[in-house]
Amino acid sequence: METIAAIATPVGEGAIGIVRLSGPEAVAIAGRVFRGRRSLDSVASHTLHLGELVDEGGVAFDEALVAVMRAPRSYTGEDTVELYCHGGMALLDRLLQRLLQVGARAAEPGEFTKRAFLNGRIDLAQAEAVIDLVRARSPKGLELAASQLKGRLSERIRAEREELLALLAHVQAVIDYPEEGLVELETEELKQRVTAVLGRIDQLLATAEAGRMYQDGIRLGIVGRPNVGKSSLMNAFLQEERAIVTDVAGTTRDVIEARALLAGIPFTLFDTAGLRESTDPVERIGVQRSEAVIDTVDLILLVLDGSVPLSREDREAFAIAARDGGTERLLVALNKSDLPARVSPAELRELLGDLPVVRVSAKSGVGLEALAKAAAELVAQAPPIASDAVVVRRARHKKALEEARRSLVRARQTLMHDLRAELIGVDLQEALALLGEVTGESVSEAVIERIFAEFCVGK
Ligand SMILES: Nc1nc2c(ncn2[C@@H]2O[C@H](COP(=O)(O)OP(=O)(O)OP(=O)(O)O)[C@@H](O)[C@H]2O)c(=O)[nH]1
Ligand SMILES: [Mg+2]
């Protein structure tokens, strides 16, 4: 096993920069560039040492604090050394180059965490939680990633795998002694236990939409005819004057993208050019871009102006937002509620049917929170998640669970009809392997490669 090295802190200036080493030679290699009071070879594990970093001529180029963590009690499970020095890019590069000169190899993205996985320190779902933790954009996202890192999802998956193994042992006995067959009592018990596993998998799957929402956020496109207050709403959400607002129709020409945390959910907002027929070539391009946004977002927020009667342009904007059967991801804001209302509920119903409508005022801020919550409900169709909940957040996990579910449904079907033990065995085996994909017990090298390629270098 080679010893790997990487800069672990982000690019740029910082108070402290960290370079990390992991592998059998980690302590020896660090010792070749570090000069302290004692040789690193002789220091105890999990201790810190102050000294100097020295170049090939023995000249010091920085001071550093060095942490030595010996196998197996380290992040990777291998001997690990972390060098804390000043946080300049040239300096960190120099230190890394020195370490490479004296025997280390540059780490690949995610290689430290990959080693932790290969050495059995963490399972695959936990490794993925490490990425999610780093990338979390909201307190809730952070909480859920932390729970997965602790192994809560993995525990649940393991429990189901153990149950499936027990059921398989049952079925195997029948395959081995076919003359005995599956007696009725046994069939009934097997059926019940498979059903119970299915129920628990369904519970996990039910959390998937909400889990993804808290992790990845909601991409919300703000659309509508000119002058209804799209840019004003965007600014109100961001609490800053990001987009230009004027009373001239056709102010916004380009798509403006910004991130905001609303109702605990990370949103990516897109303010767009007002939808209308225009002869102005610049505005026409803007309208094309608005329509392109509609095609790529999770949710479309159609903004109407409640202070004036609905116009033909409003109806056209609705038609564009709702095309391709898009009403499922359409939410309507009736803006300018601080002004006297000139749009009747009946008129709204006639245009919108039973689509959710939230009354808001970009000017006063009324209704903004309700709008964010309505958006969350539309995306996740789930109640808020308790902080200790086990939640499925990755598409990879969801897919494995869905496929395991299908195998179990097949197994149950066989149990209800022709009772062929071999068939039941095949389906249970399959479900077992699929659940093992989540935790990495049964997963291909290609999948592992893909997962760790998502990481940054040094993690
Ligand atoms: N009273 C009141 N005025 C508002 C409100 N929201 C927006 N306005 C006004 O409506 C006008 C248009 O607002 P914008 O935010 O530029 O509208 P827009 O939909 O982005 O318009 P385009 O970019 O031209 O498509 C401005 O004069 C705003 O001050 C509101 O909630 N209440
Ligand atoms: Mg605008």
Side-chain angles (χ1 to χ4, degrees), residues 226-232 246 250-252 274 335-336 338 361-363:
N227 246 341
V228 289
K230 298 180 294 300
S231 301
S232 304
T246 72
T251 302
T252 306
N335 190 31
K336 309 197 188 180
D338 53 293
S361 165
K363 195 173 173 187

Side-chain angles (χ1 to χ4, degrees), residues 11 28 72 76 112 121 151 259 345 381 435:
V11 178
T76 57
F112 290 90
R121 295 287 289 172
R259 290 178 166 201
Q381 287 159 357
L435 291 182

